C-alpha cells in the first residue's frame, strides 16, 4: 500500500484474479474513492472516471469553491496582503499619535496663556492696591513713615483665595529708605554728601572723608553679621571674579574700588580693609556707582549667596540719598548703625 499527502492508492486481488485499485481523494467534505470499471489482471489499472464513496461513507458533496480557491492562493500574494495590513495599521497609529500630540500641545498652550493673563491682571491689581495704601493720609501728628501704617501691615494680611488662580497672591511694601546704600562707601548716593546726619562736605584733599569711613564701618559690621569670611573656591566653580571670597573689611574696600573713579587700590589708615584694583584685572572694576542691587554680584569677592544674605538690608541708589529711616529699618540695619541690641 502506498500513501500520499492528498490521495491514497490501495491494491488488492479479487476472486477472479483481477486487481482492484482504490483511489481515495481528500476533499474538505471528506474522503472520496475512485474505482476502475474493469482493470486488466495483475496490472496497475488506470484511474476510472467513476467516483463513488465507500459503502461506510456518506455520499460525497461538492467542495466549497471558496475554500479551494483560498487554499490554492499563491504564497507571494498572501505575503503581500500581510505587508499591506501591517502598513495600514502602522499608518493609522502614526496619524492617531500625531493628532493626540497636537491636541495636547494646544491644551498646554491654552493653559499657559490663561495663567499668563491671570498673573498679569493680578499684578496690576496688586499695584493699584499698593498705590491706594501709600496715598492714605497719615495720622495726625506723624510725618515720617513707620511700620504701623496700612502699607506696612498689608504684608501680614491673609491671602484671599481666588477661584481659578493657582497661585497665592500676597502684597508686601518695603521702605527702601530703611536700608543701607552701598554707594555710600565712596561718598556717592545723593546730594547729602553721603552724611547719614544731613550733609557733610568732602575732605579738601580729595581723600576719604569721615562720613565715608562711617559708612564703610557700617557695611563692615553688616558683612560680619552676615558671616563674610575669606574663602578660596575651586577654579571649576567660578562663583565670583578671582574665585576668592573676601573677609568683611576687604570686601568693603573692594566695593570702594569698584565704585570710585580712580584705578588705585583702596588704602586708608582709618579703615582696616585693603583693595585689589591696582593688582587685579582692570575690567573687573566699572568705576561708577551701582545702578541696581544685582550689579553688586559683579564686585570681586561678592558671590550670589552673599548677596542673597544682605539683600534685605541694603540698596543701590545713585540719587536717593544715604539717610536711613530708623522707623522702618530692620533690626540688622539698626545694629550695624551702632544701636544697642537691648
Amino acid at each position: 500500500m502506498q500513501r500520499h499527502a492528498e490521495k491514497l492508492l490501495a491494491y488488492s486481488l479479487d476472486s477472479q484474479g483481477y486487481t482492484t485499485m482504490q483511489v481515495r481523494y481528500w476533499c474538505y467534505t471528506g474522503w472520496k474513492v475512485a474505482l476502475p470499471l474493469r482493470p486488466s489482471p495483475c496490472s496497475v489499472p488506470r484511474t476510472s472516471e467513476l467516483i463513488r464513496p465507500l459503502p461506510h461513507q456518506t455520499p460525497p458533496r461538492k467542495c466549497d469553491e471558496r475554500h479551494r480557491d483560498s487554499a490554492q492562493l499563491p504564497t507571494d500574494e498572501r505575503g503581500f496582503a500581510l505587508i499591506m495590513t501591517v502598513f495600514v495599521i502602522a499608518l493609522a497609529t502614526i496619524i492617531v499619535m500625531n493628532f493626540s500630540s497636537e491636541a495636547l500641545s494646544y491644551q498646554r498652550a491654552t493653559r499657559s496663556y490663561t495663567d499668563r493673563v491671570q498673573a498679569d491682571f493680578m499684578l496690576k491689581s496688586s499695584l493699584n492696591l499698593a498705590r491706594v495704601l501709600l496715598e492714605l493720609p497719615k495720622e495726625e501728628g506723624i510725618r515720617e513713615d513707620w511700620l504701623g501704617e496700612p502699607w506696612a501691615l498689608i504684608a501680614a494680611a491673609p491671602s484671599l483665595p481666588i477661584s481659578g488662580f493657582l497661585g497665592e497672591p500676597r502684597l508686601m511694601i518695603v521702605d527702601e529708605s530703611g536700608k543701607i546704600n552701598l554707594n555710600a562707601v565712596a561718598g556717592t548716593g545723593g546730594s547729602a554728601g553721603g552724611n547719614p546726619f544731613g550733609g557733610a562736605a568732602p575732605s579738601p584733599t580729595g581723600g576719604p572723608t569721615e562720613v565715608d569711613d562711617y559708612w564703610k564701618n557700617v557695611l563692615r559690621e553688616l558683612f560680619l553679621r552676615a558671616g563674610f569670611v575669606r574663602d578660596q573656591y575651586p577654579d571649576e566653580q567660578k562663583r565670583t571674579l578671582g574665585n576668592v571670597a573676601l573677609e568683611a573689611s576687604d570686601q568693603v574696600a573692594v566695593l570702594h574700588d569698584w565704585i570710585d573713579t580712580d584705578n588705585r587700590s583702596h588704602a586708608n589708615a582709618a579703615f582696616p580693609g585693603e583693595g585689589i584694583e591696582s593688582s587685579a584685572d582692570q575690567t573687573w572694576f566699572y568705576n561708577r556707582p551701582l545702578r541696581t542691587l544685582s550689579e553688586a554680584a559683579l564686585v570681586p569677592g561678592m558671590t550670589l549667596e552673599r548677596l542673597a544674605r544682605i539683600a534685605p538690608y541694603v540698596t543701590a541708589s545713585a540719587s536717593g540719598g544715604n539717610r536711613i529711616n530708623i522707623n522702618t529699618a530692620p533690626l540688622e540695619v539698626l545694629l550695624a548703625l551702632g544701636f544697642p541690641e537691648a
Side-chain angles (χ1 to χ4, degrees), residues 36-320:
L37 294 176
R38 176 61 69 177
S40 60
C42 300
S43 63
V44 179
R46 297 180 179 179
T47 303
S48 172
E49 296 296 330
L50 177 61
I51 300 177
R52 64 184 180 186
L54 295 177
H56 62 275
Q57 292 179 336
T58 58
R61 295 178 299 173
K62 186 176 181 181
C63 293
D64 192 345
E65 297 295 336
R66 293 175 299 173
H67 291 176
R68 186 173 61 185
D69 294 341
S70 61
Q72 295 178 355
L73 186 66
T75 305
D76 55 348
E77 293 186 8
R78 286 182 290 179
F80 178 76
L82 178 61
I83 293 176
M84 288 299 298
T85 303
V86 173
F87 174 76
V88 171
I89 295 176
L91 182 61
T93 303
I94 293 175
I95 293 175
V96 171
M97 292 182 62
N98 185 50
F99 177 76
S100 301
S101 178
E102 290 183 357
L104 182 61
S105 299
Y106 179 77
Q107 181 181 7
R108 290 178 177 176
T110 304
R111 182 61 182 175
S112 177
Y113 175 77
T114 303
D115 294 343
R116 185 168 62 252
V117 172
Q118 288 180 344
D120 184 61
F121 278 94
M122 182 62 61
L123 177 59
K124 292 179 179 179
S125 300
S126 301
L127 291 177
N128 291 331
L129 177 59
R131 187 178 295 108
V132 171
L133 294 175
L134 292 174
E135 291 177 353
L136 290 176
K138 295 181 179 299
E139 295 182 8
E140 185 178 356
I142 298 178
R143 299 177 54 187
E144 300 293 338
D145 294 330
W146 66 297
L147 297 180
E149 295 184 88
W151 65 263
L153 300 176
I154 191 62
S159 176
L160 297 178
I162 300 177
S163 177
F165 187 73
L166 299 179
E168 184 178 336
R170 288 186 177 274
L171 176 61
M172 177 183 293
I173 302 176
V174 179
D175 183 17
E176 289 293 298
S177 64
K179 299 180 179 181
I180 302 172
N181 190 0
L182 294 177
N183 290 321
V185 298
T188 61
S191 58
N195 192 345
F197 307 108
S203 63
T205 59
T209 66
E210 293 182 0
V211 172
D212 298 340
D213 293 338
Y214 172 81
W215 284 117
K216 291 172 187 174
N217 286 292
V218 168
L219 275 180
R220 175 178 175 271
E221 183 65 24
L222 180 65
F223 290 171
L224 286 173
R225 292 183 175 276
F228 282 22
V229 294
R230 186 178 181 85
D231 194 5
Q232 177 71 50
Y233 302 118
D235 295 337
E236 61 272 10
Q237 291 189 5
K238 305 296 182 183
R239 299 178 64 177
T240 183
L241 293 176
N243 247 9
V244 178
L246 305 174
E247 59 93 17
S249 299
D250 292 340
Q251 187 64 73
V252 174
V254 173
L255 177 62
H256 183 279
D257 287 342
W258 201 95
I259 296 174
D260 65 7
T261 57
D262 59 53
N263 295 327
R264 298 187 304 271
S265 298
H266 175 271
N268 184 8
F271 186 76
E274 296 183 359
I276 62 172
E277 185 174 5
S278 59
S279 60
D281 190 346
Q282 296 298 310
T283 59
W284 293 357
F285 302 90
Y286 284 37
N287 298 121
R288 61 166 176 80
L290 294 168
R291 297 171 181 170
T292 61
L293 185 58
S294 60
E295 282 190 341
L298 302 177
V299 178
M302 185 68 71
T303 63
L304 293 178
E305 294 83 2
R306 287 187 165 193
L307 185 58
R309 271 181 270 168
I310 65 173
Y313 318 119
V314 297
T315 185
S317 175
S319 59

Side-chain angles (χ1 to χ4, degrees), residues 6-27:
E6 295 182 358
K7 63 183 178 179
L8 180 64
L9 305 179
Y11 302 92
S12 62
L13 295 177
D14 58 10
S15 58
Q16 298 179 1
Y18 289 98
T19 301
T20 303
M21 180 181 68
Q22 295 181 352
V23 183
R24 296 185 179 184
Y25 290 91
W26 171 257
C27 186

